[in-house]
């Protein structure tokens, strides 16, 4: 409750030895009107502050685990008081408070996923994402929510402007128990960048949140066709208003991918390709942070990440051309490619938060710098088996460097009449450069390869400002806002030819959110939500670069500098029960949609090329349903389904395009507490015949099982896992668009069996006897 005239009163809580009491719950009650309450938690100095009305007396109630309740009178005119709390003689070491902590819950316009039940069965943050109900990942690392457009990935509230492969590499280096929560925003508000057409996934990393020094050591192995090994340590320390954390992790992994395809490039001639690639890698990861509580109102935090990735690959691709009518083999050759990459990734951020009052108004700033650099060497060769002729050899080296600087300021202010105002500005500057030098050799003659050698520079600056306001009208919450974004993109290819593109534009993106309590059934609150949002998808620099990138002698890739951004209008209605989402229905209307397409080379029909093109409009309709048993007993589960239907209307290869496809996705998560120390979990997904851009896919899915048990006073956890137990996480594909007809199969090293050990340690005597609950959800 906010009054027009208020004074401040500071309350300090201490033990008999004058040590501060942290995390105590304080409640002030107006003695003249006992329906008015104010609440606060004591900080690391044992202090809590309230804004009170002059001339009034208040009743104070303080509660904290390990202490007797404290009741005092706060009289008018008092500005600072200190109270000493008595320790409670009741022993609480054997008490376990079981909380109804759902795996998935709804908070206003975002879904919160608690990763703890999944982290115990995963080896990285990437695996947690794969096992999160309602989140789907394709083999290239793209993340999908409601739409068939990939979601935008944030880490600690910062957008990661990287390719899907680079983001997947970072997620695979993050230890699974370093994640505090996953925020899923299927329709982000005006506060977020308008580029999140497919929604936003914000991965919030853990920081030092416990008193004293705590941490964990983890190690594990899992085995498919190839093996993975990892080990790491996590440290947290919080004391005297200072919070520190350190995460160290090392991973040695290997996996494979097999892609088989058949493409007809003439009425009686077809190309068959069988590519097998292994991806051995070694990854060292460091995450760190330190936070300072400079005063009761001002926080300052530094956090960063560093990773070193030695990522190699070895590929073998057999190419055969046959005459279909006779089955005669016309050509047979073998391509081999070896890559040796060294990837350095660094991120550093500084955030501040200034509390403007006691009712939630605050000013936050966030400045971050990200760098990712790649140095690589490549050797390639082609052996011609039929007809037999001299083979070709080649080698190359390349470097990529990306710098990203982002700065933003956000204001959240509580106004009278229960109005919340939010406003902010943001700017990002990105510079990308790449250099590649290649050589080929025939009969021991080495010469520059002009088809592969290139140099490309790209610069991007996006400036944004937004304003939005929300107000509660009885049981109805209304939020509306608008975001203005100015886009400046400049790319220039210097070698082999001087080409450039430039994009400068300013766009407006409205947002409307409406939430209403519908009814209360059997004690459960039923709420409905309506959302409208406009968003943009900008082509990435590699989509625009016109340089022809050689894949093999039958396929190359090229960018399209004339590619236009696509705009999407999203409408969604959804319903939740007790903060648990149960149903959603939505519609996406996208103009100037661009996607990956495959065209025949007009000069040689045996050669195809991949590029991106604007094809027209897309209408996507989806609905999602989710059900669960709350985690109050030994067993609980989450089960859901989602349906997507897409209609494309436009032009493909100068001919009318009409393409329609619908697909179902099913997902589930189950947990059964075998006894006090043992838990079994099962999760999985299944997707029916659907699509990936213009590729029609067969049915595929995965079933994952795990069992964990605690030892040594619950400090050691041992987990056995079986991922993709039935080996069904692969698909066949068909492409029939324009003059291109192809089909094939894509398979990865997804079936794995593993063992993980995690040992928790810490000096937490103060935590155990004060205000820290031993919360043990049934999934542990």
């Amino acid at each position: 409750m906010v009054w027009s005239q208020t004074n401040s009163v500071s309350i300090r809580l201490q033990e008999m030895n004058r040590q501060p009491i942290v995390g105590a719950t304080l409640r002030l009650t107006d003695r003249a009107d006992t329906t008015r309450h104010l609440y606060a938690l004591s900080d690391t100095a044992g202090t809590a502050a309230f804004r009170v009305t002059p001339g009034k007396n208040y009743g104070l109630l303080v509660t904290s685990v390990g202490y007797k309740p404290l009741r005092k009178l706060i009289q008018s005119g008092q500005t600072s008081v200190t109270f000493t709390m008595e320790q409670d003689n009741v022993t609480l070491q054997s008490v376990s408070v079981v909380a109804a902590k759902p795996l998935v819950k709804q908070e206003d316009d975002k879904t919160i996923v608690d990763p703890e039940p999944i982290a115990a069965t995963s080896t990285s943050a990437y695996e947690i994402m794969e096992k999160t109900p309602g989140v789907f990942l394709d083999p290239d690392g793209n993340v999908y929510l409601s739409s068939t457009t990939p979601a935008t990935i944030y880490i600690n509230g910062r957008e990661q402007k990287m390719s899907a492969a680079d983001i997947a590499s970072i997620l695979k280096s993050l230890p699974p128990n370093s994640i505090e929560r996953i925020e899923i925003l299927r329709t982000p508000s005006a506060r977020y960048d308008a580029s999140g057409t497919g929604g936003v996934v914000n991965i919030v990393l853990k920081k030092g949140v416990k008193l004293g020094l705590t941490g964990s050591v983890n190690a594990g192995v899992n085995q498919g066709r190839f093996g993975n090994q990892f080990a790491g340590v996590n440290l947290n320390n919080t004391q005297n208003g200072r919070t520190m954390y350190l995460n160290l992790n090392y991973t040695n992994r290997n996996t494979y991918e097999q892609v088989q395809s058949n493409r007809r490039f003439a009425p009686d001639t077809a190309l068959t390709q069988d590519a097998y690639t292994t991806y051995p890698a070694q990854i060292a990861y460091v995450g760190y942070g330190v936070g300072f509580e400079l005063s009761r109102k001002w926080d300052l935090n530094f956090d960063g990440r560093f990773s070193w990735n030695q990522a190699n690959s070895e590929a073998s691709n057999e190419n055969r051309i046959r005459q279909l009518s006779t089955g005669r083999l016309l050509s047979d050759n073998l391509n081999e490619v070896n890559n040796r990459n060294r990837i350095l990734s660094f991120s550093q951020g500084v955030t501040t938060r200034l509390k403007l009052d006691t009712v939630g108004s605050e000013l936050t700033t966030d400045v971050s710098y990200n760098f990712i650099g790649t140095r690589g060497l490549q050797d390639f060769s082609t052996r011609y088996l039929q007809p037999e002729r001299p083979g070709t050899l080649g080698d190359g080296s390349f470097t990529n460097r990306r710098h990203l600087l982002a700065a933003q300021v956000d204001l959240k202010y509580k106004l009278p009449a229960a109005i919340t105002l939010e406003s902010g500005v943001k700017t990002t500057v990105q510079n990308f450069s790449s250099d590649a030098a290649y050589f080929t050799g025939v009969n021991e003659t080495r010469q520059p390869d002009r088809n592969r050698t290139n140099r490309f520079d790209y610069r991007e600056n996006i400036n944004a400002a937004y304003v939005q306001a929300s107000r509660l009208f009885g049981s109805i919450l209304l939020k509306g806002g608008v975001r203005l974004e100015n886009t400046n993109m400049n790319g220039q290819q210097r070698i082999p030819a001087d080409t450039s593109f430039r994009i400068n534009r300013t766009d407006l993106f409205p947002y409307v959110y409406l939430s209403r309590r519908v009814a209360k059934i059997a004690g459960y609150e039923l709420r409905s939500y309506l959302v409208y949002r406009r968003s943009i998808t900008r082509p990435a620099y590699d989509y625009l670069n016109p340089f022809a990138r050689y894949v093999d002698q039958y396929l190359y890739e090229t960018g399209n500098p004339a590619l236009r951004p696509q705009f999407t209008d999203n409408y969604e209605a959804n319903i939740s029960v007790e903060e648990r989402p149960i149903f959603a229905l939505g519609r996406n209307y996208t103009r100037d949609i661009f996607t990956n397409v495959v065209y025949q080379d007009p000069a040689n029909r045996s050669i195809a090329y991949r590029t991106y093109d604007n094809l027209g409009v897309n209408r996507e309709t989806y609905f999602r349903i989710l059900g669960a048993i709350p985690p109050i007993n030994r067993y609980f589960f989450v089960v859901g389904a989602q349906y997507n239907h897409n209609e494309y209307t436009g032009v493909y290869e100068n001919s009318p395009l009409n393409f329609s496809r619908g697909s179902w996705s099913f997902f589930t998560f189950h947990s059964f507490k075998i006894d006090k120390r043992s838990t079994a979990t099962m999760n999985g997904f299944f997707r029916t015949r659907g699509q990936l851009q213009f590729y029609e896919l067969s049915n595929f899915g995965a079933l994952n099982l795990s069992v964990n048990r605690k030892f040594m006073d619950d400090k050691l956890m041992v987990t056995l896992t079986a991922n993709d137990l039935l080996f069904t996480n692969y698909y066949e594909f068909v492409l029939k668009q324009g003059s291109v007809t192809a089909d094939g199969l894509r398979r990865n090293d997804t079936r794995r069996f593993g063992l993980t050990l995690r040992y928790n340690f810490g000096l937490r005597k103060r935590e155990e006897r004060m205000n820290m609950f031993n919360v043990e959800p049934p999934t542990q």
Side-chain angles (χ1 to χ4, degrees):
M1 183 67 66
V2 179
W3 290 273
S4 58
Q5 295 182 351
T6 59
N7 292 336
S8 176
V9 56
S10 176
I11 300 172
R12 184 177 187 275
L13 304 173
Q14 64 181 23
E15 298 178 338
M16 292 293 186
N17 59 3
R18 297 189 177 182
Q19 291 296 315
I21 297 177
V22 184
T25 301
L26 296 86
R27 186 186 74 182
L28 277 186
T29 303
D30 188 340
R31 298 293 295 273
D33 183 358
T34 57
T35 63
R36 291 184 173 182
H37 303 293
L38 297 174
Y39 294 90
L41 292 176
S42 60
D43 58 23
T44 54
T47 303
F50 293 93
R51 302 292 296 183
V52 298
T53 302
K56 290 192 174 186
N57 296 330
Y58 292 85
L60 172 66
L61 172 63
V62 183
T63 57
S64 181
V65 173
Y67 297 89
K68 293 181 179 180
L70 176 71
R71 291 179 174 85
K72 294 291 182 178
L73 176 66
I74 304 299
Q75 296 181 341
S76 172
Q78 289 183 299
T79 59
S80 179
V81 292
T82 299
F83 297 116
T84 300
M85 298 186 69
E86 297 182 33
Q87 292 188 15
D88 197 338
N89 293 327
V90 176
T91 301
L92 296 177
Q93 294 180 353
S94 61
V95 175
S96 178
V97 180
V98 178
K101 191 177 182 182
L103 179 68
V104 180
K105 70 176 182 179
Q106 187 75 24
E107 288 186 4
D108 290 336
D109 54 355
K110 61 185 175 185
T111 302
I112 306 297
V113 178
D114 174 25
E116 189 64 25
I118 308 175
T121 66
S122 304
T123 63
S124 67
Y126 188 86
E127 282 194 23
I128 290 181
M129 296 289 291
E130 287 184 308
K131 298 175 183 178
T132 298
V135 176
F136 300 98
L137 278 72
D138 68 16
D140 297 317
N142 293 298
V143 179
Y144 297 90
L145 301 175
S146 299
S147 172
T148 51
T149 299
T152 303
I153 303 299
Y154 285 60
I155 296 179
N156 285 343
R158 303 183 186 113
E159 182 182 358
Q160 306 299 300
K161 289 180 176 290
M162 302 179 184
S163 67
D166 289 337
I167 293 178
S169 177
I170 290 178
L171 294 180
K172 289 176 181 178
S173 68
L174 281 173
N177 55 345
S178 66
I179 301 178
E180 179 181 342
R181 66 183 184 276
I182 299 173
E183 299 177 347
I184 297 175
L185 298 96
R186 290 181 167 86
T187 52
S189 71
R191 184 179 186 274
Y192 293 86
D193 295 319
S195 57
T197 298
V200 168
V201 176
N202 182 28
I203 300 172
V204 181
L205 303 180
K206 288 181 179 178
K207 298 182 179 181
V209 295
K210 296 182 179 180
L211 298 177
L213 176 63
T214 63
S216 65
V217 178
N218 62 88
V221 296
N222 62 61
Q223 185 70 41
R225 181 176 295 182
F226 298 97
N228 294 344
Q229 306 85 37
F230 64 94
V233 59
N234 303 302
L235 299 174
N236 298 274
N237 192 15
T238 300
Q239 58 184 348
N240 300 325
R242 184 175 66 249
T243 298
M244 295 177 290
Y245 72 93
L246 177 66
N247 298 326
L248 304 173
N249 199 71
Y250 172 78
T251 303
N252 179 45
R253 60 181 173 86
N254 198 359
T255 185
Y256 78 87
E257 178 186 65
Q258 184 176 18
V259 179
Q260 299 173 334
S261 64
N262 304 285
R263 178 169 62 88
R264 181 177 298 187
F265 56 80
D268 195 36
T269 309
L271 168 67
T272 299
Q273 295 181 294
D274 188 352
Y276 180 84
T277 308
T278 59
Y279 298 93
Q282 299 181 60
I283 304 171
Y285 170 84
V286 179
Y288 55 89
V290 58
F292 302 93
E293 189 178 275
L294 302 179
S295 68
R296 293 194 304 270
K297 294 184 176 181
W298 192 15
D299 298 331
L300 175 65
N301 292 276
F302 300 87
D303 67 272
R305 300 185 307 278
F306 171 89
S307 68
W308 171 257
N309 189 347
Q310 181 175 307
N312 301 328
S313 67
E314 299 178 1
S316 175
N317 184 9
E318 185 174 10
N319 306 281
R320 293 180 175 180
I321 299 177
R322 292 184 180 275
Q323 187 176 40
L324 298 178
S325 59
T326 63
R328 184 166 63 93
L329 182 64
L330 304 178
S331 174
D332 186 4
N333 59 75
L334 180 66
N335 287 347
E336 293 182 337
V337 180
N338 295 323
N339 292 295
R340 299 177 299 283
N341 300 322
R342 304 296 180 267
I343 305 171
L344 172 65
S345 176
F346 172 77
S347 175
Q348 179 65 59
V350 181
T351 61
T352 65
R353 182 180 63 164
L354 178 62
K355 300 177 183 177
L356 303 177
D357 53 36
T358 60
V359 293
S361 300
E362 61 183 27
L363 178 70
T364 61
T365 62
D366 189 343
V367 179
S368 63
Y369 167 76
N370 291 269
F371 170 79
I372 182 168
T374 303
R375 291 182 178 272
L377 299 174
Q378 185 180 81
D379 297 315
F380 54 91
S381 64
T382 302
R383 287 187 291 164
Y384 297 93
L385 307 177
Q386 182 178 334
E388 186 175 354
R389 60 187 178 93
T392 59
L393 300 172
D395 63 271
S397 62
F398 55 88
T399 60
N400 296 328
R401 296 168 297 276
R402 188 189 69 90
H403 304 266
L404 173 64
L405 179 65
Q408 67 182 84
V409 179
D410 295 287
L411 171 66
K412 182 179 181 181
Y413 199 78
K414 298 287 188 177
L415 297 172
I419 297 175
T420 300
L421 176 68
E422 296 177 83
S423 182
V425 293
K426 179 180 181 180
T427 184
T428 61
V429 179
Q430 180 177 201
N431 286 308
F432 174 85
S433 62
S434 67
D435 294 277
Y438 281 87
F439 301 87
T440 59
V442 179
N443 294 327
E444 299 183 356
T445 301
R446 189 169 183 264
Q447 58 187 4
D449 186 347
R450 299 185 180 275
N451 290 327
R452 299 192 184 192
T453 299
N454 75 92
R455 179 179 297 170
F456 180 66
D457 295 322
Y458 173 81
R459 293 178 298 278
E460 176 187 280
N461 169 231
I462 299 177
N463 306 296
Y466 76 93
V467 61
Q468 66 183 21
S470 61
R471 188 181 190 279
L472 190 62
F473 299 89
S475 63
I476 299 176
L477 175 63
L478 176 63
K479 181 190 294 186
V482 65
R483 186 178 184 91
L484 182 72
E485 291 195 353
N486 169 250
T487 303
N488 305 279
M489 305 168 72
N490 184 9
Q492 186 173 28
Q493 177 181 282
R494 304 182 185 277
I495 298 175
D498 187 1
T499 61
S500 64
F501 60 86
R502 186 184 299 271
I503 297 175
N504 302 100
R505 59 182 304 135
T506 301
D507 302 287
L508 204 61
F509 302 94
Y511 172 83
V512 180
Y513 169 86
L514 181 67
S515 172
R516 181 180 185 274
R517 189 178 72 176
V518 178
K520 201 163 188 177
I521 303 174
Y524 293 97
E525 184 181 75
L526 185 69
R527 294 193 70 89
S528 62
Y529 303 83
L530 295 174
V531 186
Y532 164 74
R533 178 176 185 257
R534 186 172 187 254
S535 59
I536 184 175
T537 301
R538 301 178 181 88
Y541 47 80
D542 52 335
Y543 296 0
L544 300 167
N545 184 6
F547 171 67
R549 295 173 292 277
Y550 177 90
V551 178
D552 56 48
Q553 64 265 46
Y554 303 104
L555 179 68
Y556 66 92
E557 298 176 333
T558 182
N560 180 4
L563 199 61
R564 301 182 301 275
Q566 66 183 37
F567 292 88
T568 300
D569 292 290
N570 172 249
Y571 307 83
E572 181 175 302
N574 58 71
I575 297 175
S576 68
V577 175
E578 292 295 311
E579 297 184 341
R580 294 173 175 87
I582 60 171
F583 179 78
L585 175 65
R587 174 85 162 177
N588 291 319
Y589 178 76
T590 303
R591 298 175 301 281
D592 280 337
I593 186 168
F594 64 79
T595 187
N596 190 299
V597 292
V598 179
Y599 294 142
Q600 298 280 172
D601 190 311
N604 187 343
R605 291 189 57 84
S606 66
I607 298 177
Y609 67 94
R610 286 198 297 253
T611 188
Y612 287 83
D613 209 348
N614 296 102
L615 299 180
V617 299
N618 168 244
R619 298 173 181 85
E620 180 180 34
T621 304
Y622 63 88
F623 74 83
R624 181 177 58 258
I625 188 169
L626 186 71
I629 291 180
I632 55 177
N633 293 311
R634 299 175 63 185
Y635 171 71
F636 85 96
F637 73 85
V638 177
V639 62
Q642 180 171 305
Y643 177 76
N644 292 76
H645 187 270
N646 280 273
E647 298 176 66
Y648 292 92
T649 303
V651 176
Y652 191 98
E653 289 187 333
N654 298 319
S655 299
L657 167 69
N658 291 285
F659 179 77
S660 177
R661 170 65 64 184
S663 62
W664 281 93
S665 301
F666 302 91
F667 48 88
T668 187
F669 182 92
H670 299 254
S671 176
F672 177 70
K673 195 169 184 61
I674 302 171
D675 55 34
K676 187 177 180 180
R677 293 186 173 182
S678 304
T679 302
T681 63
M682 180 183 72
N683 66 83
F685 76 95
F686 177 71
R687 302 194 73 174
T688 65
R689 297 181 64 86
Q691 70 174 92
L692 180 63
Q693 296 172 343
F694 286 123
Y695 289 88
E696 301 179 44
L697 309 181
S698 64
N699 299 339
F700 67 100
L703 178 67
N704 309 310
L705 303 176
S706 71
V707 177
N708 62 60
R709 182 169 178 82
K710 297 177 181 179
F711 301 90
M712 302 173 62
D713 295 329
D714 294 347
K715 292 184 177 181
L716 174 65
M717 177 181 288
V718 180
T719 304
L720 299 175
T721 60
N723 293 331
D724 193 14
L725 181 64
L726 305 179
F727 199 33
T728 53
N729 193 11
Y730 68 90
Y731 57 80
E732 299 175 354
F733 60 85
V734 175
L735 176 64
K736 293 181 179 180
Q737 294 297 328
S739 60
V740 177
T741 300
D743 63 83
L745 175 145
R746 186 171 186 174
R747 179 184 287 118
N748 298 84
D749 195 7
T750 53
R751 180 160 62 180
R752 291 180 172 271
F753 301 90
L755 169 67
T756 303
L757 306 176
R758 187 173 72 185
Y759 180 79
N760 298 307
F761 60 88
L763 304 175
R764 296 183 291 166
K765 293 181 180 179
R766 289 176 50 77
E767 172 190 351
E768 291 173 356
R769 73 170 187 268
M770 293 197 310
N771 189 33
M772 299 295 172
F773 288 91
N774 178 24
V775 177
E776 185 180 354
T779 53
Q780 295 301 302

